[in-house]
Amino acid sequence: MNTSTNHIFIILFSVLTCLTLLRYLLLPKIITQTTLNTKYFYSRLDSWWISLLVLWLAHSLGNIASTIIFFILSFIVLREFMSLVYRKREDHNNIAIAFYLVLPIQFCLILTKQYYLASIFIPVYIFFLFPILANKTHASLQQETLSRISTIQIGLLVTIFGVSHLPAILTLPIKSFEQNNVLIILFMFLALQSSDIAKYIIDNFISNKGSHSTTINYLFYAISGSLIAIILHTLTPFSIFQAAIIGAIINLVGLLGHNMLEKLKQSYQVAGWGRLSYGQYGILDRIDKLCFTAPILFHILYTIY
Amino acid sequence: MSFISKLIAKLTDRSIYLLVSFLTGIHPKRKEEFNYPTHGNVYYANHNSHADFVMVWISLPKPWRNDARPVAGADYWLKGKIRRFLINHVFKGLLVMRNGNDPKSITQQMSQSITAGNSLIIFPEGTRNTSDDIQLLPFKTGIYHLAKENPNIRFIPIWIDKINRVLPKGKLIPIPLICDVHIGQPIQLLENESKEEFLARSRNTLLALAPKRSDV
């Protein structure tokens, strides 16, 4: 029912407004007394505003408009990814195919609700298309070419395939869930962000250990994801028990994917994907966890409901 | 110029700006980074594609952009009504004859424009660098003669990054990549600097702006 969705949006927007007032009115007064790293908080706040506005627009404008909005988002992050990864001119044809064929076709499939084809198109057909096109290169260069192709394919999967499943979740008809699907996306978004914030708070205020071992990291994210999911489970068609498991899965998958992209960035010796005005972080840095978890959440919804 | 053609020029100006800005992700630099006046500058950049001038032009903030005129070959730009309209009314270019009979007159033309209060945009490589291996072609001598005639002008190096990957030689379809424009500090011709020294120094200053990249 739309009224409860609108209520939730109103609540979230009010929270953001309070935080923004806090930022501009209150914090400058107490900032001199503590050594808070405010840039983290401010840039997060800005990205929350933009995310919430985009989600609200997608929700209120209907299926076609929301698919177009996410198509544009996919284009932006695909471009950020390729701007870093595209080095040799032999990759030119593959990347042109990615921008001009794969991207529109994938979103057309989502728009026409061909979910099965949309799940297979990139991981199967396009996956094999690029190495097949590389048959023309000389055999001695083949291994190097294939390794570059695999980097490009990671980019396609993360930016096109991943982002395309956000409007897929929005337009998926789920029986026994009367509320708007945008709440499910909000659920995923809040689960991911809350774990990030919890980790930040613990790192900076509670524990002095520095960076924890990887296992503790994953465990922490999984547990905090479960807890948040239990609190928020009314936004989704899941029961409490299912929500707990799914919350853990969302956070684990998001963290694993995010770490994979971090390693990729480090191999190119950059800190962020884009060149936005503040910091060096691009949009892909913000939404990479969503790109990994969206297909998984979609498949869970598709198979269970 | 009539009101209609002024309007069309302004619209064309805006649309080219928006199109190239969207395709390449380039936007004007902040005014605070420009600690020199808007006139008396010669912006020199590397030349890889037909869109190079537009990218230099977009990355200048508005006051600097209004005073900057590209130096363009008259033999190419005067053919056809659309090209004439573009180069004269939209880009406000300085047209020079490139057939090599009188290089001194080209320098004179440019000097006159500078004295009249404009800035110029030039590409000292002379032609598009379409090779994959050489980062920056050797400079032609025009930039030295211009500096010799007007020792007071500031030469500002501008490096356009990644545009050679948007449309490499031999490819038909451009890829919308995020390009970058790096603008360096101005240099001037030193006293008793020879032609070779100045050409080498200006070329190296430009090359130093290129980001070091490990080609994986």
Side-chain angles (χ1 to χ4, degrees):
Chain A
M1 262 93 60
N2 269 330
T3 44
S4 71
T5 319
N6 287 337
H7 287 163
I8 301 212
F9 269 112
I10 292 178
I11 295 177
L12 288 173
F13 273 121
S14 329
V15 170
L16 281 188
T17 318
C18 292
L19 288 176
T20 316
L21 286 176
L22 194 74
R23 162 187 180 174
Y24 284 119
L25 297 180
L26 205 54
L27 277 189
K29 301 210 173 105
I30 64 176
I31 213 66
T32 46
Q33 300 164 3
T34 59
T35 52
L36 270 171
N37 181 7
T38 51
K39 260 210 297 199
Y40 179 86
F41 169 55
Y42 292 167
S43 64
R44 281 265 164 182
L45 193 57
D46 287 339
S47 66
W48 287 340
W49 269 111
I50 298 180
S51 317
L52 200 60
L53 280 170
V54 167
L55 282 178
W56 181 73
L57 268 180
H59 151 67
S60 40
L61 290 180
N63 281 352
I64 299 185
S66 61
T67 313
I68 294 179
I69 291 178
F70 285 109
F71 171 79
I72 296 176
L73 181 64
S74 182
F75 171 76
I76 293 176
V77 287
L78 177 65
R79 192 162 72 141
E80 280 181 4
F81 190 93
M82 291 307 169
S83 297
L84 191 58
V85 164
Y86 175 22
R87 292 294 158 98
K88 301 267 188 327
R89 60 197 302 268
E90 288 82 24
D91 297 332
H92 188 95
N93 291 340
N94 292 341
I95 299 186
I97 291 178
F99 272 103
Y100 296 110
L101 282 182
V102 179
L103 181 59
I105 292 181
Q106 175 75 4
F107 275 86
C108 283
L109 289 176
I110 296 285
L111 191 60
T112 53
K113 304 215 177 151
Q114 304 283 344
Y115 297 127
Y116 183 64
L117 204 49
S119 300
I120 293 204
F121 176 58
I122 297 181
V124 176
Y125 291 112
I126 301 297
F127 183 89
F128 285 123
L129 176 66
F130 289 162
I132 290 177
L133 287 179
N135 278 344
K136 289 184 294 188
T137 56
H138 197 263
S140 60
L141 295 171
Q142 200 69 342
Q143 285 178 352
E144 193 219 332
T145 310
L146 285 180
S147 90
R148 283 199 326 266
I149 288 180
S150 97
T151 317
I152 296 177
Q153 282 164 337
I154 292 178
L156 290 193
L157 271 170
V158 172
T159 60
I160 305 183
F161 188 77
V163 176
S164 72
H165 282 275
L166 287 171
I169 295 180
L170 270 185
T171 62
L172 180 68
I174 306 179
K175 330 187 255 284
S176 76
F177 183 59
E178 303 104 24
Q179 293 163 299
N180 204 300
N181 286 4
V182 74
L183 294 180
I184 306 182
I185 299 191
L186 273 175
F187 162 78
M188 175 169 60
F189 180 73
L190 289 170
L192 290 169
Q193 294 290 324
S194 323
S195 311
D196 276 343
I197 297 192
K199 173 133 206 307
Y200 180 78
I201 293 180
I202 293 193
D203 268 349
N204 287 331
F205 296 117
I206 303 184
S207 141
N208 285 329
K209 252 194 252 180
S211 77
H212 306 268
S213 80
T214 340
T215 342
I216 296 189
N217 250 353
Y218 287 119
L219 212 56
F220 173 77
Y221 269 89
I223 294 180
S224 86
S226 292
L227 291 175
I228 307 289
I230 293 177
I231 299 176
L232 295 175
H233 82 280
T234 47
L235 294 178
T236 67
F238 308 132
S239 68
I240 292 192
F241 182 63
Q242 287 171 322
I245 299 182
I246 290 177
I249 293 179
I250 287 179
N251 272 289
L252 276 179
V253 168
L255 188 60
L256 287 169
H258 175 78
N259 286 345
M260 176 186 91
L261 286 186
E262 283 288 318
K263 267 283 181 315
L264 191 58
K265 273 190 289 184
Q266 280 170 9
S267 80
Y268 287 99
Q269 292 152 356
V270 291
W273 286 103
R275 246 168 281 274
L276 293 188
S277 41
Y278 44 82
Q280 285 172 292
Y281 296 107
I283 299 189
L284 185 53
D285 293 280
R286 297 283 175 219
I287 70 169
D288 54 1
K289 291 195 182 179
L290 275 179
C291 297
F292 282 99
T293 59
I296 307 227
L297 194 58
F298 176 78
H299 293 135
I300 294 176
L301 289 168
Y302 191 76
T303 48
I304 298 184
Y305 295 94
Chain B
M1 208 164 56
S2 74
F3 174 71
I4 299 274
S5 49
K6 256 199 192 158
L7 186 62
I8 297 183
K10 223 172 161 55
L11 282 176
T12 322
D13 173 284
R14 274 272 104 192
S15 343
I16 295 182
Y17 177 100
L18 286 173
L19 181 69
V20 177
S21 184
F22 173 71
L23 267 186
T24 57
I26 291 187
H27 49 268
K29 303 278 181 197
R30 297 176 309 143
K31 290 187 199 164
E32 291 75 30
E33 300 176 17
F34 284 68
N35 48 10
Y36 38 82
T38 62
H39 57 270
N41 307 321
V42 171
Y43 309 98
Y44 69 103
N46 55 327
H47 200 14
N48 284 111
S49 78
H50 292 299
D52 285 341
F53 144 69
V54 184
M55 288 196 283
V56 170
W57 183 63
I58 293 182
S59 58
L60 299 171
K62 208 164 185 359
W64 283 264
R65 190 190 320 144
N66 283 339
D67 277 345
R69 306 180 65 188
V71 178
D75 51 320
Y76 176 82
W77 280 99
L78 287 182
K79 284 194 256 181
K81 220 164 143 208
I82 298 187
R83 283 189 211 172
R84 277 202 297 267
F85 180 76
L86 277 179
I87 197 60
N88 283 328
H89 295 153
V90 179
F91 297 136
K92 302 193 181 55
L94 180 67
L95 291 165
V96 296
M97 302 299 288
R98 275 194 304 191
N99 46 22
N101 281 345
D102 194 3
K104 263 201 163 12
S105 74
I106 299 183
T107 323
Q108 247 187 344
Q109 256 184 297
M110 295 203 274
S111 309
Q112 274 172 353
S113 181
I114 299 254
T115 343
N118 296 319
S119 297
L120 296 177
I121 302 178
I122 64 173
F123 298 102
E125 283 170 295
T127 176
R128 279 184 303 145
N129 177 10
T130 47
S131 90
D132 286 333
D133 305 310
I134 310 175
Q135 223 178 357
L136 191 61
L137 295 174
F139 280 4
K140 300 257 190 303
T141 58
I143 187 175
Y144 169 72
H145 293 301
L146 183 61
K148 194 115 195 301
E149 296 231 349
N150 308 281
N152 287 332
I153 53 180
R154 292 168 289 269
F155 286 89
I156 296 153
I158 298 188
W159 178 266
I160 308 173
D161 200 31
K162 285 216 213 90
I163 185 65
N164 55 330
R165 288 193 212 136
V166 172
L167 190 61
K169 179 170 81 159
K171 300 288 181 185
L172 270 176
I173 306 179
I175 291 182
L177 291 180
I178 302 179
C179 300
D180 230 2
V181 170
H182 301 273
I183 302 187
Q185 290 303 309
I187 63 174
Q188 289 183 289
L189 179 66
L190 300 171
E191 284 210 29
N192 301 326
E193 197 175 15
S194 77
K195 180 168 76 166
E196 290 75 25
E197 286 171 357
F198 181 67
L199 286 180
R201 187 164 69 99
S202 53
R203 184 170 177 275
N204 288 335
T205 323
L206 184 56
L207 217 44
L209 286 179
K212 318 281 169 285
R213 226 190 293 280
S214 57
D215 268 350
V216 176

